[in-house]
Amino acid sequence: MDGILIAWIDCSTLDDDTEIEQIAQVAGFSKIPIPKLTTGFYSAYEDYDTEMGIMLPSATVKAEKMAVHPLFVLIRDNFILTIHSQEINRLLRFSRYAPQFFKKIADEPVVDKITMVLERIIDENNDRNFEYLREIEMHGDQISKSLIEENLAKRKIAHDIYRMKHVLIDYLNVLWATKDVVDSLRYGDADLITNNEKFLGRIGILSDNIDRHIELSEQMSNVLSSGLEVMQSIYNNQLQSMNNRFSLVTAYLTVLGTAFLVPNTIATIAGSGIMDGAMAAQWWYLPLLILSTLFATAASLLWVLHVWKMKADD
């Protein structure tokens, strides 16, 4: 049996890269390039045989905003150091039962111990990240409910959907970044990680859990996209209704304009001096204006109805 003890120290900082580098140097990590580790996109994996450095993303979601803080895990010999921002406290649950956990694995080889502790750290960080998907789903459900509220401004709902889509994109980036690290541990053949298939299988379970949450997040993204399509349909219907109203007004104006065009033309001719200016004094002049007005109104109305019928058939 391997009686070598292992140690785990958890530190919190102000997210200062210089402070993280100082802590790593004080803890005896000399091979890992901390600046390279801290500049990764949400995650990083650096293996230097006797030392290993990992950066994991720790997400926090408040309302419609998501913040991502790095969780650094540095490993050498039988020593594990975790460093994270003071704004997050991801390993509180593990720290509570850590003494009992270390007693249970006391007789395991040191690489198995390191792998099991690392697996628990990643698992707890993942669990906290997964919890925020529920909040995103709840907020997305509220947005979906607001689509049927007639009194709410549709423009505001559209902005809410866009912000939730942006949060989901960042959340998916967090999940994919975590999966990259987990797969690197699983297939990277690092000297500090065990080759025991049993423990590597537990890391594989972490990867499978991430895959399931990626699928759930993508489904949520599709739901929000459907909401945007609904919003587009609502706007299209509103524009169509407005166009129909304008068409109706245009039709009325066409009928009225045509109805008054014919008698106005007759009156213009009567005032032009024809019949020595006596046309307006004839007995048939007023009936002619009335009949021409009625005829022009009926003709224009029938024409508009004919055009509408043709459009409806199309």
Side-chain angles (χ1 to χ4, degrees), residues 145-157:
K145 183 179 178 181
S146 63
L147 287 173
I148 62 176
E149 297 291 337
E150 297 182 356
N151 296 329
L152 293 179
K154 302 305 179 184
R155 183 182 297 274
K156 178 181 181 301
I157 298 174

Side-chain angles (χ1 to χ4, degrees), residues 1-5 101-110 112-113:
M1 293 294 181
D2 192 327
I4 298 177
L5 299 178
F101 178 77
F102 280 107
K103 288 180 181 179
K104 290 174 62 176
I105 64 173
D107 295 331
E108 301 289 344
V110 64
D112 290 353
K113 295 177 185 178

Side-chain angles (χ1 to χ4, degrees), residues 89-312:
N89 194 353
R90 285 304 170 92
L91 305 177
L92 180 61
R93 184 173 58 186
F94 179 50
S95 64
R96 289 174 179 172
Y97 62 80
Q100 293 81 3
F101 178 77
F102 280 107
K103 288 180 181 179
K104 290 174 62 176
I105 64 173
D107 295 331
E108 301 289 344
V110 64
V111 290
D112 290 353
K113 295 177 185 178
I114 292 293
T115 303
M116 294 173 69
V117 173
L118 181 59
E119 183 263 335
R120 288 300 180 93
I121 291 173
I122 297 175
D123 185 42
E124 183 159 347
N125 185 64
N126 287 348
D127 285 343
R128 295 298 301 273
N129 286 340
F130 295 159
E131 290 175 2
Y132 289 110
L133 181 58
R134 301 187 185 96
E135 295 187 19
I136 295 174
E137 289 177 341
M138 292 176 60
H139 196 72
D141 184 64
Q142 294 175 359
I143 293 176
S144 299
K145 183 179 178 181
S146 63
L147 287 173
I148 62 176
E149 297 291 337
E150 297 182 356
N151 296 329
L152 293 179
K154 302 305 179 184
R155 183 182 297 274
K156 178 181 181 301
I157 298 174
H159 283 295
D160 290 342
I161 293 176
Y162 170 77
R163 284 192 289 268
M164 286 304 300
K165 284 278 292 181
H166 184 70
V167 169
L168 265 176
I169 290 173
D170 285 341
Y171 186 77
L172 280 168
N173 287 334
V174 167
L175 295 181
W176 281 113
T178 306
K179 181 175 172 59
D180 287 342
V181 172
V182 172
D183 288 344
S184 296
L185 290 172
R186 186 179 182 185
Y187 302 112
D189 294 328
D191 292 339
L192 293 173
I193 301 300
T194 183
N195 292 322
N196 189 314
E197 291 295 332
K198 174 183 176 181
F199 299 122
L200 290 178
R202 295 174 65 170
I203 295 178
I205 293 175
L206 295 180
S207 181
D208 294 339
N209 289 336
I210 296 172
D211 286 336
R212 282 193 290 270
H213 281 79
I214 288 174
E215 292 177 1
L216 291 173
S217 301
E218 290 176 343
Q219 291 176 6
M220 186 64 192
S221 180
N222 292 334
V223 170
L224 291 176
S225 297
S226 299
L228 286 174
E229 293 176 0
V230 170
M231 291 296 302
Q232 186 64 42
S233 298
I234 292 174
Y235 283 128
N236 290 339
N237 291 337
Q238 290 176 345
L239 289 175
Q240 185 63 41
S241 177
M242 187 177 297
N243 288 336
N244 292 339
R245 292 176 184 176
F246 278 122
S247 298
L248 184 61
V249 171
T250 302
Y252 282 130
L253 292 176
T254 301
V255 172
L256 292 175
T258 306
F260 287 103
L261 179 62
V262 175
N264 183 64
T265 303
I266 295 174
T268 301
I269 295 174
S272 66
I274 192 172
M275 297 179 64
D276 296 328
M279 182 176 176
Q282 303 300 316
W283 65 269
W284 45 263
Y285 178 72
L286 183 58
L288 178 62
L289 291 179
I290 295 174
L291 290 174
S292 63
T293 302
L294 294 176
F295 176 79
T297 302
S300 58
L301 180 60
L302 290 174
W303 174 254
V304 169
L305 292 176
H306 176 68
V307 172
W308 279 0
K309 184 178 180 180
M310 291 179 61
K311 289 185 176 180

